[in-house]
Amino acid sequence: QVQLVESGGGLVQPGGSLRLSCAASGSIASITNMDWYRQAPGKQRELVARSTRSGSTNYADSVKGRFTISRDNAKNTVYLQMNSLKPEDTAVYYCNVRLAVRGSITWDNYWGQGTQVTVSS
């Protein structure tokens, strides 16, 4: 079994910063993409940032220059550093990890439980 545990959300004032973490554990053979998504009330879930196994990163236009995704492959952990936060960044943030379980030949996507980020004065 695989578990993804997120942490780091909370309430922050506009212009502030937060750092999210997502740790994958269990019978993991290999990990490829590690992503962060978010879903605001009444809106569809959207991809915020992606980190590939090769080291490349991609960002939604709305967060470029403010958010940074990084990963620690030894710890199977992905981070999202969020700076210059805006009220429109308010959402539930989810990590998504594409991985192969030991003994399996398939790749599957796993979701974290979500963590609330609220940007408000």
Side-chain angles (χ1 to χ4, degrees):
Q1 284 192 342
V2 174
Q3 282 190 322
L4 300 186
V5 178
E6 299 181 30
S7 61
L11 173 64
V12 64
Q13 292 186 342
S17 298
L18 282 174
R19 189 191 193 211
L20 307 183
S21 299
C22 172
S25 63
S27 186
I28 299 170
S30 185
I31 294 176
T32 57
N33 293 348
M34 304 183 85
D35 303 335
W36 285 99
Y37 285 76
R38 68 185 181 187
Q39 188 166 20
K43 294 187 177 182
Q44 289 189 332
R45 192 172 297 189
E46 62 172 349
L47 177 63
V48 174
R50 167 165 291 167
S51 171
T52 69
R53 186 166 58 179
S54 65
S56 64
T57 57
N58 302 97
Y59 298 92
D61 288 342
S62 59
V63 307
K64 281 180 182 176
R66 301 187 297 121
F67 290 11
T68 303
I69 189 171
S70 60
R71 61 196 280 173
D72 184 335
N73 292 325
K75 296 181 179 180
N76 290 338
T77 299
V78 61
Y79 306 95
L80 186 68
Q81 178 67 42
M82 305 184 293
N83 298 330
S84 302
L85 282 161
K86 304 175 181 180
E88 51 263 44
D89 294 318
T90 296
V92 178
Y93 284 70
Y94 300 89
C95 62
N96 181 280
V97 176
R98 186 164 181 81
L99 59 86
V101 174
R102 288 197 187 102
S104 173
I105 60 171
T106 62
W107 295 84
D108 295 297
N109 289 293
Y110 291 81
W111 290 94
Q113 81 280 11
T115 185
Q116 177 70 46
V117 171
T118 303
V119 185
S120 175
S121 55

